[in-house]
Amino acid sequence: MDTVVKLMERVNNSQLTLKDRYPELYDLDKKNIVFVSPFFNKQGLYRMILPALELMETKRFSCVVTNILADDNTKSIDDFNVKLIPEIVRWADYIVFQANGQDMTGLIKTLKEINPKIKIVLDIDRNYHSLNPNNYIAKKFTIAKLRNLEKNLTLVDFSTYADRLTEDYYIKKTGVPLNTMIIPNLLSPLQFEGISKTAIAPITDNKVRILLMVDQEDWDDINNFRETINQIQVRIPQCKIYVIGNSLTYDTKNSLRLVSYIRVPFDDMSQYYKMIKRINPILAIVPCKKLSFSRNYYKILEMGAFGIPIVAMNEYPFNHILKKDVHILLAGQKKTFIENVKHVVDNVETKSKLSSNLQTFIQDKYSWNNTTMTNTWVSAFGG
């Protein structure tokens, strides 16, 4: 993450001159894209920060990231005073906003007055209308803000999505023709910079380390799987369950209550991948009660990058992206889920094959090194 961290330090330094803070403004004869105020979390990383850096590598684009916001669970994009200076607006061919619940009518009018040729883009990384009320993001998107989000989709020049289901939902939800494009979340080598150079001592105890891939957004899934996780620990008494993240609690209620697990906190995304390497898990388990694309797509990419075998329920997107028994073990019932976990733990050959197949498949297909996938981004922005 060395390059990402350096970018964040530069664009967040308001004391720099315009040329030092945004040298991309002086890169001529390319398509110019502005990515506005991403958070330093997975959404910001996959949908804005990595695309900005990778698109510039194609030599067809010059990309400005205006600033990078700390990942504050108590705030939404509406809580920040985002300033767009006229010099950036005049320079831009495209300006990309992440999904938010503010009415963008006045903002879009002002941007078009400054630069009549600019195209306004709204990126929708997930279905905000289907979030569980216990999800902390859902608490930020009130009914009024969801209505604003729908309205904003009809105001922008086009909107982008990570998957077809979310795209179809919002086309139907707005009830009007929308100009939409699908641009996928992709792995980048920039995510893992510094990990191989850094002395990260993996945990080497004699326990079976299992990574439970959940966070605050997975409220329904965790609640539904607590007993299953407990049964895994009964069947595999030598296992330890690890959870990466600072909190699984909403208000005062812990969704992993009554489960024995070890929490591995981290300060920001620059430490996240180092924590995965340090835990050095034998496999990852992903509770999945119902269809959800964005959260689980990230998990597939990240476990694929490290070659960590996955056990999940037979749900979308796992059964859509990955091939059962080749890249992943999928279960139709919780009993089978537990048996699959035990099978990976007990069978070295199965673990090795799943690891190799998953890593090769994800790195070959779902990365910025895949020209076909990269071209979906290039085409979206007229490159």
Side-chain angles (χ1 to χ4, degrees), residues 42 73 126 130-138 212-226 229 243-245 247-250 253-257 272 285-299 302 316-318:
K42 292 185 184 182
N73 289 347
R126 72 193 74 193
S130 67
L131 297 176
N132 182 276
N134 283 316
N135 183 314
Y136 75 93
I137 294 180
L212 175 60
M213 293 294 287
V214 292
D215 55 36
Q216 275 186 311
E217 296 187 52
D218 301 301
W219 183 275
D220 277 351
D221 298 332
I222 305 168
N223 262 345
N224 194 51
F225 269 79
R226 280 202 308 274
I229 297 167
V243 176
I244 300 179
S247 177
L248 290 166
T249 304
Y250 186 80
K253 196 172 185 180
N254 183 358
S255 50
L256 269 179
R257 59 195 179 278
Y272 175 71
I285 57 176
V286 189
C288 183
K289 178 184 177 184
K290 62 179 183 179
L291 182 152
S292 174
F293 186 85
S294 63
R295 296 177 288 110
N296 292 319
Y297 191 94
Y298 297 145
K299 296 167 188 175
E302 290 157 0
Y316 182 89
F318 300 101

Side-chain angles (χ1 to χ4, degrees), residues 32 67 73 111 122 149 192-193 240-241 276 297 360:
N32 301 329
N67 61 316
N73 289 347
L111 294 175
L122 192 61
L149 178 60
F192 311 103
E193 279 182 329
K240 281 186 178 179
I241 304 291
I276 294 177
Y297 191 94
T360 300

Side-chain angles (χ1 to χ4, degrees), residues 131-383:
L131 297 176
N132 182 276
N134 283 316
N135 183 314
Y136 75 93
I137 294 180
K139 297 292 181 179
K140 303 173 186 178
F141 273 83
T142 61
I143 293 177
K145 289 188 175 183
L146 289 173
R147 296 291 176 266
N148 283 339
L149 178 60
E150 296 167 27
K151 179 181 179 182
N152 293 338
L153 288 170
T154 68
L155 298 175
V156 296
D157 291 287
F158 64 92
S159 50
T160 53
Y161 303 81
D163 69 291
R164 185 74 62 190
L165 287 178
T166 304
E167 179 193 44
D168 289 345
Y169 176 88
Y170 280 107
I171 290 174
K172 294 175 182 176
K173 187 68 176 177
T174 58
V176 299
L178 298 178
N179 188 8
T180 64
M181 299 182 190
I182 292 179
I183 45 178
N185 300 315
L186 299 175
L187 286 173
S188 167
L190 299 174
Q191 291 168 263
F192 311 103
E193 279 182 329
I195 291 182
S196 59
K197 299 177 184 177
T198 305
I200 302 173
I203 300 171
T204 55
D205 57 28
N206 59 356
K207 298 294 183 179
V208 174
R209 290 175 300 283
I210 297 175
L211 183 58
L212 175 60
M213 293 294 287
V214 292
D215 55 36
Q216 275 186 311
E217 296 187 52
D218 301 301
W219 183 275
D220 277 351
D221 298 332
I222 305 168
N223 262 345
N224 194 51
F225 269 79
R226 280 202 308 274
E227 183 55 34
T228 303
I229 297 167
N230 282 331
Q231 285 299 314
I232 289 171
Q233 293 175 310
V234 171
R235 294 289 304 278
I236 311 171
Q238 73 275 28
C239 80
K240 281 186 178 179
I241 304 291
Y242 286 82
V243 176
I244 300 179
N246 300 313
S247 177
L248 290 166
T249 304
Y250 186 80
D251 291 337
T252 60
K253 196 172 185 180
N254 183 358
S255 50
L256 269 179
R257 59 195 179 278
L258 306 180
V259 173
S260 175
Y261 66 98
I262 300 170
R263 187 188 308 285
V264 182
F266 62 96
D267 292 332
D268 59 43
M269 283 300 296
S270 66
Q271 298 180 1
Y272 175 71
Y273 300 109
K274 295 177 183 179
M275 294 301 100
I276 294 177
K277 185 174 182 181
R278 172 160 170 70
I279 294 170
N280 190 28
I282 190 173
L283 80 156
I285 57 176
V286 189
C288 183
K289 178 184 177 184
K290 62 179 183 179
L291 182 152
S292 174
F293 186 85
S294 63
R295 296 177 288 110
N296 292 319
Y297 191 94
Y298 297 145
K299 296 167 188 175
I300 291 170
L301 293 181
E302 290 157 0
M303 295 303 96
F306 285 96
I308 299 172
I310 302 172
V311 173
M313 296 300 288
N314 190 19
E315 298 285 348
Y316 182 89
F318 300 101
N319 56 12
H320 174 71
I321 294 174
L322 303 175
K323 188 173 181 179
K324 182 179 179 182
D325 298 332
V326 176
H327 307 124
I328 189 171
L329 293 187
L330 297 173
Q333 297 179 338
K334 292 177 185 177
K335 180 180 179 181
T336 309
F337 186 97
I338 297 170
E339 294 299 329
N340 283 346
V341 171
K342 185 162 175 43
H343 180 66
V344 175
V345 170
D346 292 343
N347 194 307
V348 175
E349 183 179 359
T350 297
K351 175 185 176 296
S352 179
K353 285 183 178 180
L354 287 172
S355 172
S356 177
N357 291 343
L358 176 66
Q359 187 171 45
T360 300
F361 175 69
I362 292 298
Q363 291 186 346
D364 286 351
K365 185 169 183 178
Y366 293 99
S367 80
W368 285 93
N369 293 326
N370 183 316
T371 304
T372 300
M373 288 295 192
T374 298
N375 282 342
T376 60
W377 283 84
V378 170
S379 299
F381 295 101

